[in-house]
Structures are given as structure tokens and as C-alpha cells.
Amino acid sequence: MKCSPLVRGLRASLPDGLRRWLFDPSLAELTSEAVAGQSASPVSGVRIVGLWLHCWLIGLRAAVSACARRLRPPRGAEHVSFSSPDPESFMQSVLQDVRYSFRALRASRGFTAVAILTLALGIGVNTAIFTIVDMMLFRPMPGVQDSEELAYVMGRDGDAPFLMNLSYPNYQDLLAADTGFSDLLGYSWRVVGLSTAGSGAERAFAQVVTANYFGLQGVAISPGRDFTADEGLVDVPAPVMMITHDYWQTRFGGDPEVVGSTVELNGTPFTVVGVVSPAYVGIDSMLAIQIYIPVGGLPALAPSAVASLRSRTSVQFRVVGRVAGGAGAPQLQEEVDAVAAQLRDDFPVANADQELVVIPERAARPDASAGGQFAQIAVIFGLLVGMVLLIACANVANLMLARATGRDSEVAVRSALGAGRWRIMRQIAIESMMLGLGGAAAGILLAVWATETLRGVVAGWQIGMPLQLPLQTDLRAMAFGTAVAVLASLIAGTLPALQITRGDLTLGLRQGSRSVSAGGARQRLRGMLVVAQVAVSLILIIAAGLFLRSLAGVRDAGLGFETEGRLYVSFDPDVVGYERDEGLALHDELLAATRVLPGVSAVGLVNSEPFGSRTGFTTTLPERDAADETNPGLMTVRWRISPGYLEAIGTRLLRGRDVAPSDTADGPLVAIVNEVMATSTWPGEDPIGKRLVTPGSGRTYEVIGVVEQGKYMLIWEEPQKALYLPAAQSYPSTPTLVVHAQGDPLLLAEPIRQLLQRLAPTVPVFGVMTAEESLRNGRGLMLISLATGLVGAFGVLGLMLATIGLYGVVAYAVGQRLREFGVRIALGADTRSVLRLVVRQGLAMSAVGVVVGALLAMGVGRLLSSLLVGVSPTDPLVFGVAIAIVVATAAAASLVPAWRATRVDPVNALRGE
Amino acid sequence: MSTLPPVTHLQFLILEALRDGEIAGAEVRGILADHGVRRTLPAFYELMSRLERAGLVVGHYAPKLVKGQNVRERRYALTAAGSGAHEDTCRFYRSRTGVQEQEAS
């Protein structure tokens, strides 16, 4: 079954009786129904969790009945006093309260449903976010032994905004050095073309790893065996590989014969030696890796890659070490600093500004190069969902207070019959706890649904690598959800309990239904709760507005390319063994054939779409500095482009000329630079005709043009230097075709796919998407899109709850003052003045909430500022619109009861007086 | 005077359904639904578990091929005690309603 870990977890958590008698047969029937197609939907996680909860409810009901039977006094026994200290009678009285509360909640079903739903929303979003944060920050790595002993060693190059991987030689030097690490592993990523007998090549995502990779992590391999030390050495005669359990199941149908068999990677035979344990989700838990290849297999996979294993400027290995017993982080950092200093001395060109940084494994999630940014995001989202819970609690407290008003007489009667304040409070507390548990059950279901949805969203992100979100809504998450529910219901229940039982409990009895014992205080308290709700929902709406403006602001943030009407089609001739010349010939044919397709206005090729995963870097130097051997050059983004690419993507050429078909491999080397590169390298001079050197390859390029500045890696990035090289002189092995369409670009997807199929039937095509989709779901905007969606949903939810709260308070106040309005109308007050009177009350409450909320939102905006693009955290437009929305909603919420106030019949009102 | 029947109406209905031989839980649930008795899966299997634990029916899992896929289902059969309880209940109602006498005459 699809969610078997979920089923296993749920099954294990049930007592034997419930599991054997209820859960197992029910699940069997559910599965059978789903397979037969009688059921509308397949057995989803939600249905299974529903089944599980239902089993628990039946079990609890049976336990309570059994308990009650045991405690029930024999017929004719003397009535047990409420205040009896006897534990058995205490238990009995608690059970009585439970039964009473159950009946009371059943009697007012509308209230119960709204309260449970409100709490469920608060608990659901909190549990869902907890599940993610728990996976990202707190859980040990699944399938890894003592993962808290692991630490990354990353490079930092001067003041670069992100951390870098290490070169293979630097990794080997680090391994040989005397540090507090007992062992260090290295890994990098690579796309390979996998084919088995009788099948065409398909793209697979592989990690190239050192031979100690699994041994160091203590990962089980079954079936099969781990890599041997020999297989980790460069140049092995018989290359081997391992596959993940998921890939084994999906690609090879779980066939045990796969181990020991041979498959082809990029046309070279590799022997599969093992399958990685299903418990292991990968060292980067969000990347869905399919194949592991030891470093010794790299020459067979890509002969040209061998040079990169010897180069100190090719930083492609991520390094993780196991910390030997007792070594602390400062000590490790000191030792690693010494290694970095040695590397700088020994290899000054390659390691000029490089420092090494030790990051504990947990702080490096989900991506070590991001430098722990997730913890900050987690805090922000934790805070925002906490606010939703706060609003939900305030709303339930408000509902309970409103309900309390009708219960004064009931409380007074119970009090008169001998129930003390404590007993009444306990009953109210039990009632709110029952609401809380109902909210927890519904909230956990909501969380399961939300995490499943999010899993789908993440799998759909286009960053050029397959993504996964290995989330489990397990006992921890459920325990968290239940704890939040208990806390929420206590918060929501305590205030009303205190209010209801305050003062003379018999007053309600004496005054009958017209009692308003402690009514003023209660109303004030409800008013304060509404103020808090309005304030918090304003904060959420402002946060959502800031993200929304960021999304819009990206257009003004200077992308340096156009997205409208553009289509990206990526294809991979490399994995089916295309050499450089064959690849270039294919490029030319494809470009020529695409150009004449109807609806195409421009077309070009590039090594990676903007913000894609195949963006490259190189180091460059102006020719005048090339003689200085100690100068390491400047880190520059490198694009490999065909003629016509700049026009197709919509990047403006400011000076000089575009790449032309005459810029062939045999011709003089040429390059186009961007604005920042031109002005920083040759300030005040004309860059056209100037010459650039790439120290790594020793090639010299003549600058032929300058293009506008753009964003290349991250939407937040500072302006970076960029270099555009002709594809004929700098071959992109896995290119992206960029098409500028006259109409809907997606209409061109199929014709281009067919073209490629005709020109190169074996070449796999991947990542066919519009530029808009790529920007939204790719590395460019995915975080902002997700944040806008989530925070927007929280904001709408918060405002909805606050509106209900405000409506309740104003409606109640109107109900209390109906006679007064009757008298006013009898004395000549017109409709407008009565309307104004009521709406003013609602607006006054929301005005206080708006002021408090706006002040707090300024602080929250500052917290969010690192995630915002092109918008100030105190953007007046966002604040203005958000306040207008909240005030308009508040006015609408007050208008309905106000209209009711104007319909009071003065005759009835005066008769009442 | 005859004693009260040993099973409830609902339990009697289930025993009656099993009188012709072993059937699957899903079928029993279907028969109950035909009589207007709708139970959720766990509630239904709680009902069956009571009968099983009382020794009136016996249940076991059996494999079943559905659309080429192997699934399993829980099947139930009447025990000797179950048949006895069914008979006792029938006898009770006959004695109270006189149906038997009318049929005999």
C-alpha cells in the first residue's frame, strides 16, 4: 500500500484488542473496496487515520462504559456527596461531569461544531508545520547511526553569500590531516543515462560517493553488499553501483536478481552490488537520489570528469565527517582552520580566500550551502501559525463566553443544589477539554491532509533535481497536536470558567432569564479577545501582503530576462553518449528546425535556464592581471549560449554584438559580459575589445558585447558578474532550448518534442515548461510563492475567525440593548443614528486591534525582511490595504446586528419597560 | 415462561445471515444495510468481535483476488453455540407470537 509506513505506525500504536478486532478487518475491507473500485477514492492516508481515530474512539467509549459500570453504586445506595474525598466517588463524579459535558455539547451542536472546527484549524496548521520543522531540525537522520556525530565541512570563498563544496584533492588532504574527525566522506551529484537490456536510456539522479559513504553513516545494505575500499579508487576495472530501495521497487519491480546484474550507465556496463535500506532517505533528505556510484566508477561514467578529480578549483564534493568521541565544535573548527591555512599556503591560487567551516549535521539541514537559513524560516512560520492558534483560542473562548451568558441559570441551579465553585469550574474545564480533544482529532486529520498536499507541492518544484519530502505524521506529531489541543482548550476554557463562576452564583437563579451576573466584565473580556483577534489577523494579512508584493516586486527587481511567452525544453544528449561534435550538430539542426515552426519568433540554446540547477561558474581575470600568479581571479556566473539566445530570452544587448554563427570552435575566442562585470573590471573604459583570461583553462577571450544586469542564482542575490560564451566554443552538454512564442508557448511544447524525437530519438527530453512556471516553481520564486500561499491562507483564516468573533460580540451587545434602542426609536431617533451607534461600537473595538496589530506588524515585518524582495517591511501600501480590509470587514460584521437594532419595535420595547 | 432471547435483534440478524454458510464481513455488512442498519467499518467489526468473543461465530482471514490483485478479507461462520443461540431466539419469538402453532395448524 502507498502509505505503508503510516499504516505500520498507526497499527503499532493501537492496543492489541483494537488492532486485532477492529483495525485489521476494517483495513482489509477498505483495501478490498478500493482495489475493486467500489470506493470513490483510493485508500488515502486521511481515510486510514480516520479509521484509526474511530477505533480509538470505540475503544475509549468501551473503557469509559466499563469504568462506569464498575463505579456505579448498587441500587438503593445512599447518594454520594459532591465533595466526598473518597477516590472512587471522585472518579465517579468526574465521569458524571464527562457525561454531563457530553450531553451539554450534544445539545448545542452548532456551537460544538464551530468550536471544534475552529480549534481543528489552529491545531491542524500547527501540527503540519511541526511535522516539517521536526523533520528538518529535530529528528535524527533516518537510517543513519548516531547522526548527531556527523558534521559538514564546507568552504567559504571570501564574502560569497553561500557556502561552497570542496575539491576532491582538498577533501583528500582534509582526510589525511590530523583532525577530530574519525573519518570523512565526500559526495557529489550527477545525472546519468541508465539503460537495461532492451530499454532506451532514461535519466537517473546519481550521487558519486567515496567508498566509505555508507560505512561511515552506518547505513544497512540489503540485499547486496557495501562498496569496497578498492571501488572508491580512481580507475577500477569493473565499475559498480548501488540503487536506492525506492528505485529498486519502481524501476526494477523489486526483483532480487538485480543485485549482481549489469546495467548500462551512459553506455558503460556497471554491476549493481546492493540496494540501500528503505529506512535511509539520503544524506540530503529532500533530494530523491536513485543511484550511488563510488568515485572509482567516475572515469567509466564520464572520462572527462577525471581531470576534475585532480583539480583544486573544481569544487564539487560535499564533505561530511564523523566526529571522534568528545571533540567539541570549537576544537574541530580550530583544527579545520589549520588545514585551511595549510591549503592556502600550499596552493595559493586555488585556495586564495578559502576558509573551511564546520557545521553540525542538524544545523546544515536541508541544504548545507544555505548556512542554516531554514532555522530562521522555521521560527518565522512557527510564529505565524502560533498566531493562527491564538486567534482560534480567542474565538473559542469568545464562543464559550457567549454561551455562558445563557447558562447563568443552569450554573445557579447547580450551585443551589450544592455544587461548589471548583466543581462547576471542573465541569466547564472538562467540557473545553472534550472540545479540545475533538479539535485535536479533526486537526490531526487536517495536518495529515496538509502534509500530503505539501509533499505533492514539493515534488512538483522544478529545481532540476527530483525532490521529496519524507514526512511522517506519526506519534510525535500526534502527541504534539494533542498537547497543543489540551493547551488551547485550557486557554480557551479557563477564562470563561473563571468568568462564569465569579460573584454570586445564586444571582442568576433569583433574576431568572434576565440575569447578567458579571455581564459587564464578561462583555469587556469578550471585547478584549476580539481586539486581540483583530490585531493578530492584521499582522497575518500584512505578512501575506508583504510576500505578495515581493512576488510582484520580482518583476521590478531586474531579472534581466523576460518570462512572458517563453518556453524551456531541456534535453540530455550527454547521457546517451553524444560527443561534442555530434551534440553541436544536433543543436544546429534543432535550432534551424524550431525557428521555422509556426508561432516561433525567436529561439536559442543555453546550458541552463535562469535559476536552473545547471548554471555554471568560472573564475576570470582581465588580461592585464593574468601575469600575477597569486591572483585567483573573480568568481563569475558562466552561461554557454547559442546565437539568438539573448533575443529569445529577452536579455537586452547594451553594447557591441551578439554571439554569431561565425564564432566557431576554430575562430578567435569571444565573450559577452554583463554590466557589473564591465563596470567593475574596466571602470570608465569601453569594455568592447578588452581581453579576459580564465585562469583554470588558461584561455583568453575577447569581449564583444555587454548585456543588461540580471539575477542568476537566487532572487535575493546581490548583482553578480556574468560571462556569456558561444556554445560552439564552450560546449553545453545538457542544454535548454529557449523559445519565444508569439502566442501560448505551451502550444509549441508538443511540436518541439516531436522534432527532437525525429532528430535524435534516443535523447531524453526533460523539464518542458514555460518560463513563468520555471520561475514560480523553480529556485527563483518557490520559497516566496509558498510563503505567500501559506501566509495568505493563514491571514484569510485569521480574518474569518476574527470576523465571526466580532460579529458575535456586537450581536450580543445589541441583544442586551434592544430595549434601549426601542426607547431611542420611540423618542425619535432615526435609523441612521441607531446604525451609527452600533457600528461605532464594532469599529471602536477593531480600531484598537488595528493600532496594536499595526505596531506589532512592524516588528514581524523586520523578522521577515530577509525573505522579502523589492519591498520594505513597513511598506505603506501593504499596511494601508491590510488596514482597509480589516476595517471594512469589521464594519460589515457590525452592520448585520446594527440593522437588527434598527428593526426594534418601540411599542414592544416600551411595554417591556 | 420462556427466558429472554440470548442475543439482540441486530445479533440475531447477523446469525440469520450466517445460517446458510460462511460469508465475508463485507457481505454481512451489506445484509445489515439492506435492513436499514448502517454501521461504519470499525463499529461493524466491533459488533462482529463481540459475537466472536462470545463464541457464537468464528472469523478468519482468507485471500481474495480482486482485479488481478491479491487482497484479504475476513470471513465468518456460525459455531455450534451460534446455531443454538439462533434456534433459542427463534423458539422464543415463536412462543411469544404463536406463529409456530398457526403454521402447524
Side-chain angles (χ1 to χ4, degrees), chain A residues 136-137 152 154 156 161-163 357 359-379 866-867:
Chain A
M136 295 287 195
L137 294 184
Y152 279 81
M154 301 289 290
R156 193 198 300 275
F162 34 79
L163 300 172
V357 189
I359 313 165
E361 182 276 319
R362 224 165 264 209
R365 296 181 198 175
D367 178 10
S369 67
Q373 203 186 17
F374 183 80
Q376 187 198 352
I377 296 174
V379 169
S866 63
L867 301 176

Side-chain angles (χ1 to χ4, degrees), chain A residues 379-400:
Chain A
V379 169
I380 292 171
F381 274 85
L383 202 73
L384 294 177
V385 290
M387 285 183 190
V388 175
L389 185 65
L390 212 64
I391 297 181
C393 287
N395 220 22
V396 174
N398 226 331
L399 281 172
M400 291 191 78

